[in-house]
Amino acid sequence: MIDKLSLDYKLDYDRLGYKLNSNFSYLFNLEETINKPYNYVFGYFEDNKLLGFIHIVLTVDEADLINIVVDPLYQHKKIGTKLIYYVIKRFDLKALTLEVRESNDAVKFYEHLGFEIKRTIPKYYGNESAYLMKKVI
């Protein structure tokens, strides 16, 4: 089941986010994030356990994918795919954009879902460049 993430899941959100960045809870405080206009965080749940989440910022009929993470024990089960298609359908998006490290294996995942590399952003992550990727729906 996919639903809006509530503060009841803050510890699980922080635990999963830590997989992305050791400063995740500082950078993406859940309470602040869900109270910001146009910010949405949805979780993927099984038996009330948070297995993954997606954070987007909505801009009319497009969105920027800020974070998406799936518990490593549940990866390769289409949870990330379900989260992406959920937000596309829920908001009737015309496009979804994201930034991802060039070295991140997720680049192949995004390409498989129809995202295209639009440009390279030099040193976006300090010493590492990022790809700006976009999926037009």
Side-chain angles (χ1 to χ4, degrees), residues 9-18 24-25 28 30:
Y9 290 91
K10 183 184 181 332
L11 291 176
D12 293 326
Y13 169 82
D14 289 342
R15 177 184 55 81
L16 288 174
Y18 186 82
F24 185 84
S25 59
F28 299 101
L30 182 59

Side-chain angles (χ1 to χ4, degrees), residues 41-55:
V41 182
F42 294 96
Y44 185 95
F45 301 90
E46 280 185 10
D47 299 322
N48 288 322
K49 182 178 179 185
L50 180 65
L51 303 183
F53 66 83
I54 187 168
H55 170 195

Side-chain angles (χ1 to χ4, degrees), residues 86-133:
Y86 177 85
V87 296
I88 289 170
K89 184 176 179 182
R90 177 172 175 130
F91 295 105
D92 193 25
L93 297 178
K94 304 296 181 232
L96 191 57
T97 57
L98 60 90
E99 295 83 26
V100 61
R101 290 179 189 272
E102 284 181 318
S103 64
N104 192 327
D105 291 339
V107 171
K108 290 178 180 43
F109 165 72
Y110 295 127
E111 287 177 328
H112 178 74
L113 292 180
F115 285 81
E116 297 178 354
I117 297 171
K118 294 300 182 181
R119 68 183 176 100
T120 301
I121 307 168
K123 299 186 180 184
Y124 185 80
Y125 294 103
N127 289 330
E128 189 173 355
S129 297
Y131 291 129
L132 171 67
M133 300 183 78

Side-chain angles (χ1 to χ4, degrees), residues 12-66:
D12 293 326
Y13 169 82
D14 289 342
R15 177 184 55 81
L16 288 174
Y18 186 82
K19 310 266 186 230
L20 295 175
N21 185 316
S22 60
N23 290 322
F24 185 84
S25 59
Y26 171 76
L27 296 169
F28 299 101
N29 177 284
L30 182 59
E31 185 172 7
E32 290 175 12
T33 299
I34 63 178
N35 287 317
K36 285 182 187 174
Y38 312 109
N39 278 256
Y40 296 90
V41 182
F42 294 96
Y44 185 95
F45 301 90
E46 280 185 10
D47 299 322
N48 288 322
K49 182 178 179 185
L50 180 65
L51 303 183
F53 66 83
I54 187 168
H55 170 195
I56 64 163
V57 176
L58 192 62
T59 56
V60 186
D61 59 358
E62 296 189 9
D64 191 19
L65 194 161
I66 306 301

